[in-house]
Amino acid sequence: MHVKFCGFTQLSDIHTAVQLGVDAVGLVFYPPSPRAVTLTQAKTLSAAVPAFVNVVALVVNMPEDELVDLANHVPFDLIQFHGDETPEQCEQLASMVNKRWIKALRINADQHTTASVRAQIDQFAAAGASSILLDAYHQHKYGGTGARFDWSLIPKDSALPIILAGGLDAENVAATLELPIYAVDVSGGIEQDKGKKDTAKMRAFMKAVKRDRWQNETLSVPSNLSS
């Protein structure tokens, strides 16, 4: 199982997440979010991420010129489209900046069925998405709500690898290991405050997911990440 920690604003939290073995870190470029970062902040944070750990840029209905400006100033690996973008819009925008991309779908048990979720995934797969992210629906928010959706709506035969988000923490993430998913994505479940991570919660989350890594409880901290 792969792990993405999202919503970083603090350099020390990036260092901790990398040392704990996270697979990807997410930076939020959506000003209404309390976890949003500026281009200047993002350059500093992304510079601290070593090779083989992906930097994911989360955007919400971002205009073309802003996405191009973002790509010109911040080194990131993937775009996470988290708004109302259509498959065609995602494909076009990602092509403009030559980036791989994933799309977040907000799942609502009152509106969705397993079949309808699968059909949406098929559309984004056809447009070239690398993965799909399933998050809980909220009428007024695009994510970061800390709410879970009905996991029975996750299709077992998805055309894309599924990333699960929404209401995850160290206490419940072990229950996701049997789900037909590729990765988990967490933000609020590892925080002490919006945008500020909690080292103990991050460590507990990683231990619950990547159990083999934690057979030896003592992890050494590389000297360049210990400050």
Side-chain angles (χ1 to χ4, degrees):
M1 183 80 74
H2 291 73
V3 177
K4 171 174 169 274
F5 285 172
C6 196
F8 285 93
T9 64
Q10 308 290 315
L11 188 59
S12 59
D13 291 337
I14 291 279
H15 288 161
T16 300
V18 168
Q19 192 268 328
L20 291 173
V22 75
D23 299 291
V25 298
L27 303 178
V28 177
F29 299 95
Y30 179 54
S33 170
R35 302 178 180 97
V37 292
T38 65
L39 296 185
T40 299
Q41 286 177 294
K43 288 174 67 174
T44 300
L45 295 172
S46 60
V49 180
F52 309 128
V53 177
N54 284 319
V55 176
V56 182
L58 187 157
V59 302
V60 177
N61 303 326
M62 179 176 279
E64 292 182 6
D65 58 338
E66 291 185 23
L67 182 60
V68 171
D69 190 47
L70 172 61
N72 286 337
H73 287 88
V74 179
F76 61 89
D77 303 291
L78 290 130
I79 307 170
Q80 179 177 322
F81 292 108
H82 215 97
D84 305 306
E85 304 90 354
T86 66
E88 295 74 22
Q89 288 171 330
C90 290
E91 182 179 26
Q92 178 184 0
L93 288 166
S95 295
M96 290 179 61
V97 293
N98 196 30
K99 298 289 185 181
R100 294 185 301 138
W101 57 278
I102 61 180
K103 179 66 175 80
L105 301 179
R106 295 180 292 155
I107 307 302
N108 183 349
D110 294 331
Q111 300 177 357
H112 292 101
T113 64
T114 302
S116 68
V117 174
R118 184 188 302 109
Q120 282 187 277
I121 294 174
D122 288 344
Q123 293 175 353
F124 285 99
S130 294
S131 291
I132 205 79
L133 185 147
L134 302 184
D135 199 355
Y137 172 82
H138 188 283
Q139 184 177 1
H140 304 295
K141 296 181 180 180
Y142 285 101
T145 63
R148 287 173 55 177
F149 66 91
D150 183 354
W151 290 348
S152 70
L153 296 174
I154 300 173
K156 294 183 173 63
D157 51 352
S158 171
L160 290 171
I162 292 175
I163 304 163
L164 178 63
L168 297 176
D169 57 32
E171 300 300 320
N172 63 28
V173 72
T176 69
L177 299 179
E178 303 302 320
L179 297 176
I181 62 174
Y182 169 78
V184 289
D185 186 341
V186 62
S187 185
I190 53 169
E191 288 181 332
Q192 56 178 295
D193 197 4
K194 301 287 187 181
K196 296 181 179 180
K197 305 308 182 189
D198 183 293
T199 297
K201 290 180 179 179
M202 284 195 284
R203 182 182 178 91
F205 192 94
M206 292 300 292
K207 184 176 181 180
V209 179
K210 295 182 179 282
R211 298 170 179 170
D212 55 338
R213 177 179 170 85
W214 296 86
Q215 290 177 359
N216 181 353
E217 286 285 346
T218 303
L219 290 181
S220 60
V221 181
S223 59
N224 63 323
L225 297 181
S226 59
S227 58

